[in-house]
Amino acid sequence: MPQFRASELFKKIYLSGNSGFKPNLPFDFASLEKLAKSKMSKEAFDYVATGAGNHRGILNNTKAFQNYEILPRMAHGINEVNLESKLFNTRLPVPIMFAPVGVLELAHPNADLELAMASKSLEVPMILSNQASIPMEQVANVLCQTDHWFQLYFSKNYELVESFVQRAERCGSKAIVLTLDTTTLGWRSLDLGNGFLPFARGMGIAQYTSDPIFKMLIKDSVMPMSDVPVSLNLIWNTFQMMRKYPGSFLKNFRSKEPILAVRKFLEIYSKPNLNWEDIIWLRSKTKLPIILKGILRSDDALKAVDIGIDGIIVSNHGARQLDQVIGSVNALVEIKKHLPSEYPLLIDSGIRSGTDIFISLALGAKSVLLGRPYVYSLAIGGSN
């Protein structure tokens, strides 16, 4: 990846502007979000945009960055800036990674494959989502040798957890990112108002439907009695589920496997009583670095260090899990005070601009994770 130079970018944009050509993507987050909203269905946009409750946590994320000011140094004599680094044997040309975001088919029909093309082109590592729309093996094929990690939700079924980890290892993932803060769904007001959960429609469960352990689990399932009223919407959504599910439509219709898969997923996808013993168990199942995502307290961070966890992503899940949650950058500052200076801390949630990235790095983050900004960009222009 060539070194980024703002002056070269400015020159290209302004000279192209003389010929009447303007950039396809806005340069500020508010305009990016507004344009993406016009491109996506209401349900899809709301699913990406929503926070928990009254969205105060989202405001906390952005306000936290506004509390910091930059004091620039002049006449520094630096001509070239090298932002390249390595983290867990992962090359970072710039200190940015694509955060794990589920159900990317809501933003682009090629879903995770489209993000993988952008990751490969930009050499910005992506974290493959546990709730992907495309199985990890297919995404890894597109990435080729581009570094990537795998994000894991801890299921109620330990065999399934181990199977996901083993598959990630075979796909060449350089680390496992265990998300801690989604042992149950947050009170996401926009989704509740829409009555929309993509997983209930068979979206975002490709890691499961492609997994041999999960396939064994649904073989033992019994077709449940219908507990929802029959309507044209239900018939259409069921048709779409049958059409998108692996295998032929006729086979899926006869076996009802897609419906069984959705019900089984909703039954086991998260473990509400996830605890430190489970994390220690996971540590024993892989030699890959394990990074915990969702830590916001210094005592939890110290516990992670104590049991041999390799790194932490300070994150409030984009404020999707808990309303009025502490802004991630404020949590980063507090956690940084209590950990060894070189212990790897990353940050996720609330990153909206290059200024936010600069502040995060200045406050001790090794890298930042981008979420909503790239999802909106995929919705507008795909990997381009």
Side-chain angles (χ1 to χ4, degrees):
M1 181 180 183
Q3 282 294 318
F4 171 77
R5 290 184 178 86
S7 59
E8 293 298 320
L9 176 64
F10 295 161
K11 185 190 301 183
K12 179 179 179 181
I13 290 173
Y14 293 138
L15 290 178
S16 297
N18 286 341
S19 300
F21 295 100
K22 297 180 180 180
N24 294 324
L25 292 177
F27 283 84
D28 66 284
F29 181 78
S31 299
L32 184 74
E33 187 172 51
K34 183 179 179 180
L35 183 55
K37 186 175 183 178
S38 71
K39 302 285 187 180
M40 302 170 73
S41 71
K42 183 181 188 305
E43 289 177 334
F45 177 80
D46 285 355
Y47 179 79
V48 176
T50 192
N54 294 313
H55 296 166
R56 290 174 184 149
I58 290 179
L59 290 176
N60 285 351
N61 275 335
T62 54
K63 284 182 178 179
F65 280 104
Q66 294 169 15
N67 291 332
Y68 296 93
E69 297 174 328
I70 296 171
L71 186 61
R73 187 185 300 274
M74 295 297 107
H76 47 69
I78 296 174
N79 189 43
E80 295 287 338
V81 177
N82 185 2
L83 299 177
E84 185 172 340
S85 63
K86 264 203 166 185
L87 190 61
F88 305 120
N89 206 31
T90 300
R91 177 177 171 266
L92 300 175
V94 290
I96 297 171
M97 300 184 74
F98 290 127
V101 177
V103 208
L104 284 179
E105 63 195 276
L106 295 175
H108 195 282
N110 290 337
D112 308 84
L113 298 179
E114 196 72 13
L115 178 60
M117 287 190 285
S119 175
K120 181 181 178 182
S121 173
L122 297 170
E123 298 180 34
V124 172
M126 67 179 285
I127 304 176
L128 282 65
S129 173
N130 193 98
Q131 300 311 134
S133 300
I134 307 290
M136 65 180 88
E137 291 81 3
Q138 293 182 36
V139 178
N141 284 339
V142 172
L143 286 168
C144 296
Q145 301 303 312
T146 307
D147 289 346
H148 61 275
W149 299 353
F150 176 72
Q151 176 247 351
L152 175 72
Y153 285 131
F154 208 110
S155 169
K156 290 178 182 175
N157 187 288
Y158 287 79
E159 285 184 276
L160 183 60
V161 172
E162 191 168 1
S163 180
F164 278 10
V165 170
Q166 290 172 351
R167 290 171 61 197
E169 290 173 340
R170 290 194 294 270
C171 285
S173 295
K174 295 279 183 84
I176 301 294
V177 175
L178 175 63
T179 296
L180 301 179
D181 56 14
T182 316
T183 54
T184 185
L185 286 176
W187 186 271
R188 299 172 187 171
S189 48
L190 297 182
D191 292 341
L192 290 166
N194 291 329
F196 177 70
L197 181 67
F199 314 125
R201 299 188 186 181
M203 300 173 168
I205 61 172
Q207 308 296 19
Y208 295 79
T209 57
S210 59
D211 192 272
I213 298 298
F214 186 77
K215 289 177 180 178
M216 289 176 57
L217 292 173
I218 58 177
K219 279 184 179 179
D220 298 330
S221 298
V222 177
M223 187 67 186
M225 295 289 291
S226 177
D227 51 4
V228 293
V230 176
S231 66
L232 289 177
N233 277 345
L234 177 63
I235 293 170
W236 173 249
N237 289 331
T238 303
F239 171 82
Q240 292 288 74
M241 189 189 306
M242 299 288 182
R243 184 177 65 83
K244 291 183 178 181
Y245 194 84
S248 69
F249 176 86
L250 187 59
K251 171 182 172 291
N252 292 336
F253 181 80
R254 287 173 174 169
S255 68
K256 303 297 188 291
E257 187 174 311
I259 297 173
L260 293 173
V262 166
R263 294 301 179 104
K264 179 58 68 174
F265 165 79
L266 294 174
E267 177 188 326
I268 69 169
Y269 89 98
S270 70
K271 189 174 187 290
N273 62 340
L274 178 67
N275 57 69
W276 289 104
E277 292 302 315
D278 292 324
I279 298 170
I280 293 169
W281 174 86
L282 179 65
R283 173 69 287 172
S284 72
K285 295 299 178 180
T286 182
K287 293 181 179 179
L288 290 177
I290 294 178
I291 299 105
L292 298 185
K293 180 174 180 287
I295 297 285
L296 293 171
R297 297 170 55 104
S298 57
D299 52 354
D300 284 340
L302 287 168
K303 178 69 175 178
V305 174
D306 185 55
I307 66 171
I309 295 302
D310 300 282
I312 288 169
I313 299 173
V314 181
S315 168
N316 59 32
H317 212 96
R320 292 166 65 79
Q321 285 301 103
L322 185 65
D323 200 7
Q324 217 153 317
V325 67
I326 184 174
S328 286
V329 73
N330 288 342
L332 170 71
V333 171
E334 184 60 28
I335 290 172
K336 182 69 177 174
K337 294 176 185 176
H338 298 272
L339 266 57
S341 60
E342 292 305 310
Y343 188 82
L345 291 177
L346 295 82
I347 184 172
D348 166 86
S349 305
I351 309 294
R352 298 290 182 264
S353 67
T355 303
D356 295 340
I357 295 172
F358 177 84
I359 290 171
S360 299
L361 298 175
L363 294 173
K366 300 289 187 184
S367 181
V368 304
L369 273 59
L370 295 180
R372 288 184 179 100
Y374 86 70
V375 178
Y376 293 150
S377 297
L378 283 179
I380 296 166
S383 59
N384 298 320

